[in-house]
Every structure is written in C-alpha cells, then in structure tokens.
Amino acid sequence: MKDMQCKKGKKLVLLTSFFFSVCFFLLSGQTIAQNTTEWSLDSCISYALRQNIQLKISELGIENSELTLKQSKDNRLPNANASISHNYNWGRSIDPFSNSFVNQRIQTNNLSLNSSVTLFNGFSLKNTIEQNQLQVEADKLNYGQSQNDLMLNIASNYLQVVLNKEIAANARRQKTSTQAQYDRTAQLVEAGVLPRANLYDLEAQLAADQQQIILGENNLMLAKLQLRQLMQLSPTEEFDIVTPQVDDPSAVLDSKNPYQIYQIAETTQPNIKGADISIEVAKKGIDIAEAGRLPILSLIGGAGSNYTSNQRVRSDFTTQTVVGVDTLGYIPDGAGLPADYVVRPNVAFGTENFGFFSQLNESFRYNLGLNLQIPIFNRFQVDNNIQRAQIQTQNAQLNSQLVRTQLYQTIEQAYISARAAKASFEASQQRVKALEETVRVMEKRLEAGAANSTEYTVVKNNLSVAQADLLRAKYEFIFRIKVLEFYEGEELKF
C-alpha cells in the first residue's frame, strides 16, 4: 500500500513538472535548441552605436551643421546671376533699342548678367563663420554625450540579463536540491521511518520551485528582449550574451569622493563641454546682431544687351543713290554775275539687316560700381535682435550651470546607491550563510524525524529569497561602481 502511494506521489511530481515544462515551452516559443550567437558587452555596445536610430539622427544633424558652416564660408564669394526675358508689346510703347515711341507690336529680348560681393558688413560674415564652427563642435559633443548615455543603458541592460540568468540558474539549483531531498525522504517513508505527509509538502515545494524556474526564465527572456530592442537588433536574429565571470564586488567606496569624481567628469564629459561651447555660440550671435548697426559696402557689376523686332532692318548710310535734286533758292545777281540755282541732291539710302546678334553686339553695355547701404531706422529690428541674442546667451549660461548640477547629482546619487548596494550585499551575504546552515541542519533533522517537511520548506524558501536578494544587491553594487568608474574616465567592461 505504501509503495502504491509512493508511486502515485512520484507520478504527481512528474506530471506537475511536465505541466510546467509545457507552459515554459509555450512562453519561450522554442522547440529545438539552436546555435545562438553570443554577444559580449563590447560587441553589444559597438553594434548599438552603429545601429541606434537616435544616433543616426544626430549624425544627420552634424552633417546639416557642417553644410551651414560651408555655406557661411561660401557667402564671402561673389554671386553671379543671369537674366533672359522675351516679351511682346502691343500699342504705343517705347522701342528699347531706339528709345523712341512706336505704335505697333514689338517683340523684345533683354539679356543681363549681374554680380556683387560684400566688402564689409560689420564683420557679420566673419562672426557667422565662427559661430557655425562652434555649433558644429557643440553638435559633435552632444553626439558624444548621446553615445555615453547609450553605453550606460546597454551596460545596465546587459547586467540585468546576467542577473536574471543567475536567478534562473539559482532556481534550477533549488529545484535540484528539493528533488534530492524528496528522493531521500521517499526512501525514509518507504522504510517507515517518516510519515508520508512529509512527501506531500516536498511535492508542493517541487511545484513551487518549478514556478520559480519559469518565472526566472520569463524574466530572462524579457531582459534579453529589452537589450535587443535597445540595440535595435533584428528580431529574426538569435541572440544571447556571453556570461562574464563577475567576481563579488570588493571596491572600497571609502576611497571615492563624489566631488572628486565630479571634478574629473567635468573635464571629460561631452555634455559639459557642449554646454560651454553653446555659450560661445550665443555670444557670437550678439556680435552678429550688433553688425546690423553698421553700413554694408558692396562691389557690384553687370553687363547686358537687348533686341527688338522693330529694328530688324535699318538704313545703310554707307550706300546711297542720287535720285534727283531739290531747288532751295537762287544766288542774287547783285554783282553783275549770271543768276544761278541753289540745289540739294535728293539721296536715297540703302538698307541692311540688323538681326538678333547684331543688335546684341551693338547694344552691349556693362557697369561697375560700389553700393553703400547705411542703416538709419529699421523699426528697432537691430535692437530687438541684440536683446534676443543676449537672452539666448543668458539661457546658455544657465543651461551650462544646470548641466553641471545634473552631472553632480547623477554622480552623487550613484555614489549613495553604491553605498546602499554595498551594505545590502554584505548583509545578504551574512543572511545567505546563516540560512544555508539552517537548511543544512533542517535537512538532517528532517531525515532524523526531528522536524517536519513544513519547517523544511519554510527555511528553504527563505534561503531562495535571500539568494535572489543577494544576486540583486551584487549586480546593483557592480553597476553603481561601474557608473562611478565611467565618470572617472574608465572604460565600461567587466
């Protein structure tokens, strides 16, 4: 009878384990173990830096700033613009070639080429170039800060995967330990040393251990998913990480000082340098705005010509024919001379074609000159622009102070969190050691019949919780130490 009950108990345990295994199979969506590429922290960071969309957007912003800088330099060059027009005029109008009134349809063409170059505009061009150079540098530093933030996030998520791996492994070890205790208890029950009720409690504990395994594996999958999404890795690519050999943290926080770390970070962090450069950018904006009070001197030049259909044929004064004479009067015979006529030849001139290119050649003109534009009153636009630039400078200065304050707060919070994690880690170590000894003693007492299975499962569960807390405190402590080391200029690695 006892054998039959024991066999039923084992079957119940097997069925429970099978049920939870099927649940985990459905959660994971994995049917066959596949070869998965393992990623180290360095490879995760390198891939994320290449693939991150926000970083790519920042890169495009840098390219745009560089183009703006290039344009500001090109603005020092002369411009050149050509103009060609074709017009029809009806009625009374002025012939653009002869500048005389005509009353007929005229077809005209006007061609011109104009150029100008700024000689002086209150150093606005120079200051704009310098401002854009500073802006490119500021954008590059902001890009570097985005890289730092991404690297810290990758390291945090990477450690979360490592932590969940250890928690899942710890849950499996707990189940193995419980299964071993169940097997020993079953032998004692079959021998009649222990009551069968002890097996029922252990069966329930096995089921609870299996639940912890499933929960741990599910949390591990979620942590991997978060890391994959942060890296923006393709969902079709198999993914796992290299589990580093992370020793128990032993960093001495007493030797670290938050303000000293801040002083180092202030000279190395890109966001601090970027905020300082933004102040210089804003100051250049004041110089550019003040240039609006000064005259602008430009060198201008141009050339042009025109054509009109009214002049396609014109008189040719080089060819002429006398067609008769006109009598203008007589010479008076006051001197006793014979009277004579005063005549004028009547001359007919020839014609010649005066085509498109001939007209363009004959009417070609050009000009060269200086243009001085003196600002007198422009509805206070210059004054308002100067005040706006001054406000932007003040805003940049306040932002620089804010960035420094936030950096110090981040370092200080990381330091305090590290101290708390260290204390929690050390306390958890002592707690785990004590509970491990308690479990060992309880196992002996259970086998000797001096304790029941309920007492054993209680201390066993307490140990499991303590071990999970120890792992969390360990990796929290490690991450906070790495954050402090990162701000001290050290590389992120384990």
Side-chain angles (χ1 to χ4, degrees):
M1 187 67 180
K2 290 182 179 180
D3 292 341
M4 292 180 61
Q5 291 178 344
C6 184
K7 290 180 179 179
K8 287 181 179 180
K10 289 184 177 179
K11 288 182 178 179
L12 179 61
V13 173
L14 290 174
L15 288 173
T16 302
S17 300
F18 176 75
F19 170 75
F20 283 117
S21 298
V22 170
C23 290
F24 175 70
F25 163 75
L26 293 175
L27 286 172
S28 64
Q30 302 281 337
T31 57
I32 301 175
Q34 301 180 359
N35 293 327
T36 303
T37 302
E38 292 189 338
W39 295 66
S40 66
L41 177 61
D42 288 341
S43 59
C44 289
I45 291 176
S46 298
Y47 185 87
L49 292 177
R50 293 194 305 270
Q51 298 297 122
N52 187 264
I53 294 177
Q54 291 298 327
L55 289 182
K56 291 183 178 180
I57 293 175
S58 297
E59 290 175 355
L60 292 177
I62 293 174
E63 291 182 13
N64 186 63
S65 297
E66 290 175 340
L67 284 175
T68 302
L69 172 61
K70 180 180 181 299
Q71 183 60 60
S72 63
K73 292 180 178 179
D74 293 342
N75 287 341
R76 296 175 298 183
L77 302 174
N79 65 351
N81 296 285
S83 174
I84 302 175
S85 66
H86 184 81
N87 302 295
Y88 291 94
N89 298 316
W90 289 268
R92 184 175 175 83
S93 59
I94 296 178
D95 185 341
F97 188 85
S98 63
N99 203 30
S100 61
F101 285 100
V102 294
N103 193 5
Q104 65 184 67
R105 192 193 77 167
I106 300 177
Q107 174 186 341
T108 61
N109 293 91
N110 293 301
L111 295 86
S112 64
L113 176 66
N114 297 287
S115 177
S116 66
V117 59
T118 301
L119 301 179
F120 177 78
N121 65 344
F123 303 105
S124 178
L125 286 175
K126 172 180 174 293
N127 289 323
T128 300
I129 292 173
E130 293 176 355
Q131 184 187 51
N132 291 333
Q133 286 174 333
L134 291 170
Q135 187 61 55
V136 170
E137 188 176 352
D139 289 345
K140 288 181 178 179
L141 289 169
N142 291 333
Y143 175 77
Q145 182 60 38
S146 298
Q147 287 181 316
N148 285 352
D149 294 340
L150 179 61
M151 288 190 291
L152 285 174
N153 288 333
I154 290 291
S156 176
N157 282 266
Y158 188 91
L159 276 180
Q160 188 63 45
V161 174
V162 176
L163 168 62
N164 288 339
K165 271 191 171 186
E166 289 210 22
I167 290 177
N170 182 65
R172 288 190 292 270
R173 288 193 297 269
Q174 290 296 326
K175 183 183 178 183
T176 300
S177 175
T178 303
Q179 182 66 53
Q181 184 60 40
Y182 176 86
D183 294 338
R184 290 194 299 270
T185 303
Q187 293 175 357
L188 294 174
V189 169
E190 290 177 1
V193 176
L194 296 176
R196 185 161 298 277
N198 286 1
L199 281 179
Y200 300 148
D201 289 337
L202 291 174
E203 288 171 1
Q205 183 61 40
L206 281 172
D209 290 346
Q210 183 64 32
Q211 285 181 322
Q212 292 301 314
I213 292 174
I214 294 172
L215 179 62
E217 293 291 348
N218 186 58
N219 289 337
L220 175 59
M221 285 190 295
L222 289 175
K224 287 183 179 180
L225 176 62
Q226 291 175 349
L227 180 57
R228 176 199 292 271
Q229 290 175 342
L230 186 60
M231 294 170 56
Q232 296 180 348
L233 184 66
S234 171
T236 59
E237 185 171 346
E238 295 298 324
F239 176 76
D240 199 1
I241 68 166
V242 176
T243 303
Q245 295 296 326
V246 181
D247 298 329
D248 289 345
S250 59
V252 181
L253 282 177
D254 295 338
S255 63
K256 294 184 180 294
N257 182 281
Y259 186 71
Q260 291 177 351
I261 297 174
Y262 165 76
Q263 287 179 316
I264 296 173
E266 189 180 18
T267 61
T268 59
Q269 290 301 300
N271 59 336
I272 300 296
K273 296 180 179 179
D276 291 341
I277 291 179
S278 295
I279 296 175
E280 300 302 319
V281 171
K283 288 181 178 179
K284 285 296 179 182
I286 297 177
D287 295 335
I288 294 171
E290 289 179 343
R293 292 172 170 169
L294 301 177
I296 299 175
L297 179 63
S298 301
L299 176 65
I300 58 175
S305 185
N306 54 273
Y307 162 82
T308 174
S309 61
N310 192 45
Q311 298 290 333
R312 284 179 294 189
V313 177
R314 69 174 181 177
S315 298
D316 182 5
F317 294 103
T318 62
T319 59
Q320 55 186 355
T321 304
V322 178
V323 296
V325 294
D326 294 329
T327 301
L328 300 180
Y330 302 93
I331 298 175
D333 189 11
L337 299 175
D340 198 358
Y341 294 100
V342 178
V343 297
R344 180 184 65 182
N346 191 353
V347 180
F349 296 99
T351 60
E352 64 175 347
N353 291 328
F354 195 37
F356 180 78
F357 292 102
S358 297
Q359 290 190 36
L360 293 184
N361 182 60
E362 187 164 319
S363 61
F364 177 78
R365 60 193 179 276
Y366 57 88
N367 66 287
L368 181 66
L370 294 172
N371 179 56
L372 182 64
Q373 182 179 350
I374 302 173
I376 298 176
F377 179 72
N378 291 294
R379 298 182 292 274
F380 301 105
Q381 288 183 3
V382 175
D383 290 340
N384 292 332
N385 289 339
I386 292 173
Q387 292 180 20
R388 190 177 294 110
Q390 290 172 342
I391 292 173
Q392 291 175 349
T393 301
Q394 294 174 1
N395 182 70
Q397 291 170 341
L398 291 174
N399 182 69
S400 177
Q401 296 177 12
L402 179 62
V403 170
R404 283 173 163 79
T405 300
Q406 291 174 341
L407 175 62
Y408 182 69
Q409 290 175 348
T410 300
I411 293 173
E412 196 170 33
Q413 289 171 359
Y415 177 78
I416 293 174
S417 297
R419 290 184 65 90
K422 178 185 178 183
S424 177
F425 174 71
E426 292 172 348
S428 296
Q429 281 182 316
Q430 298 298 323
R431 181 186 177 196
V432 167
K433 288 181 181 179
L435 286 172
E436 285 176 343
E437 183 63 21
T438 301
V439 169
R440 187 187 65 80
V441 172
M442 189 60 67
E443 288 176 349
K444 297 296 183 182
R445 294 185 61 193
L446 181 64
E447 293 171 1
N452 57 46
S453 56
T454 301
E455 294 173 325
Y456 172 76
T457 55
V458 169
V459 297
K460 193 75 166 28
N461 288 334
N462 289 340
L463 175 61
S464 178
V465 172
Q467 288 173 333
D469 291 341
L470 176 62
L471 289 173
R472 292 188 183 94
K474 170 185 175 180
Y475 283 100
E476 174 70 13
F477 186 31
I478 290 173
F479 178 69
R480 296 303 174 184
I481 289 296
K482 290 300 177 183
V483 169
L484 294 175
E485 292 176 348
F486 178 77
Y487 284 118
E488 287 179 315
E490 296 186 20
E491 184 181 357
L492 276 175
K493 61 181 180 180
F494 302 109

